[in-house]
Amino acid sequence: MITLDQRVINAALRSSQAGQRVWLCTVLRTYGSSPRAPGTLMTVNEAGEYCGSLSGGCIEEDFLTQLAAGAYRASSQRVRYGEGGLRPDVSLPCGGSLEIVIECLPPDETTLALLSAMQRALSGQQPLVKLIGPGERARWETLATDRVLPAISVSEQQLLLPVGAIPELLVAGYSSVAFECIRLGQILGFHVRVCEHRPEMLPELEQHFSGADNVTLVAQHPARWLELNGAHAAVAIVALTHDPRIDDLTMMEAIATPAFYIGIMGSAKNSEKRRARLQQIGGMDGAELDRIHAPIGLPIGSKTPAEIALSVMADIVRVKNRGPSAA
């Protein structure tokens, strides 16, 4: 799946390679209700062609009008739309306001290097942070692939903008709990990848999720898929089948990745038995076993598949938002 952010950077890169100046806009902060979250991207080229969005359309229209009139030629510029902003006459349909940074990128080697680095980061290869001083061009620093991205940081002296793959939920095997996790993962903005090799499970899985937004179905054993493809640091891997032939093998491959969350469903008693198996058969040491959330999820007394999925996804979000120390 190609995300919207990837489409934005791909469009900017094509325009720059064609010799066009491009403008790259990033949402920094929102106030009150806003249709787009911080980090949202939009790009425009000299021909007025744009990809991505900043709002429901009102800001884009004003931005394109200002651009055609010769505005936003500085290397970078911060603009606040809505009440109290530099463009107070442009109101958001939801009544809120937002602040964006506009980068004017000439078609040179520095721009090509930046956009190429952002392209790699968004595909999960090499995350980075962009650093922008007042009126300056962005510089960037790459991060280790096992680093969890920092949050956007905004000050008068410098902007820090993280660039990396969107969070992914890898569901190892299909089950009633997996069904609910897939749905919650979509709502929470994860790209959901479901690996299922059992022929009897595929019809129901395809019936519900074939062609669904942000869901990729893989007809392959999850352990095999991880062996061949690995996982980056923005991936949460969950095994929810109660079948050790799926769950245990998946854990053996998952632990070799920098995934920020690895979890497996089961009671406390069964989790202890599995821990012993993984130590004996999989050769895992204590530190590796401690990375596995088992029993999975937050202890909310969940009973039904939907409640269990809620506890699982809440725990994943907790770890994602607080960083490695929450694991």
Side-chain angles (χ1 to χ4, degrees), residues 57-282:
C58 51
I59 288 180
E60 290 85 345
E61 182 178 348
D62 178 79
F63 175 73
L64 292 172
T65 300
Q66 294 293 316
L67 202 61
Y72 309 127
R73 264 48 180 185
S75 294
S76 64
Q77 184 173 343
R78 289 163 61 173
V79 177
R80 179 169 172 173
Y81 279 90
E83 185 178 354
L86 296 175
R87 302 290 298 162
D89 54 319
V90 181
S91 59
L92 276 67
C94 52
S97 60
L98 59 80
E99 184 177 354
I100 65 174
V101 60
I102 304 166
E103 299 173 69
C104 179
L105 305 176
D108 58 20
E109 292 301 318
T110 300
T111 293
L112 290 175
L114 170 62
L115 295 175
S116 296
M118 293 182 69
Q119 190 180 55
R120 291 191 297 273
L122 291 169
S123 69
Q125 297 179 50
Q126 183 75 67
L128 60 86
V129 292
K130 290 170 58 179
L131 304 167
I132 306 175
E136 298 177 354
R137 293 188 71 167
R139 57 187 178 88
W140 65 96
E141 300 175 357
T142 57
L143 303 176
T145 54
D146 60 351
R147 280 260 328 256
V148 175
L149 286 174
I152 290 177
S153 175
V154 180
S155 70
E156 294 300 322
Q157 293 75 35
Q158 181 174 263
L159 305 176
L160 184 150
L161 308 178
V163 183
I166 67 168
E168 178 175 313
L169 176 67
L170 192 152
V171 179
Y174 188 58
S175 67
S176 58
V177 174
F179 171 81
E180 303 293 354
C181 280
I182 295 167
R183 296 202 302 166
L184 285 174
Q186 290 178 283
I187 293 170
L188 292 168
F190 286 78
H191 171 59
V192 184
R193 188 184 308 277
V194 188
C195 295
E196 176 54 75
H197 66 292
R198 296 169 293 179
E200 67 273 19
M201 293 293 184
L202 294 176
E204 181 183 344
L205 184 58
E206 292 172 350
Q207 175 189 348
H208 289 296
F209 298 110
S210 181
D213 290 341
N214 291 342
V215 177
T216 298
L217 305 181
V218 181
Q220 191 172 39
H221 194 294
R224 179 60 173 163
W225 193 91
L226 283 169
E227 179 187 7
L228 295 174
N229 299 280
H232 53 73
V235 177
I237 302 171
V238 295
L240 308 167
T241 71
H242 281 306
D243 186 338
R245 295 170 298 180
I246 299 175
D247 296 351
D248 289 14
L249 291 174
T250 297
M251 293 298 101
M252 292 179 191
E253 293 297 335
I255 207 68
T257 75
F260 76 89
Y261 189 98
I262 302 171
I264 186 167
M265 189 168 63
S267 65
K269 183 178 180 180
N270 285 334
S271 295
E272 283 302 316
K273 291 180 179 179
R274 183 183 297 109
R275 184 181 176 97
R277 286 199 306 270
L278 292 175
Q279 188 171 28
Q280 181 178 2
I281 301 172

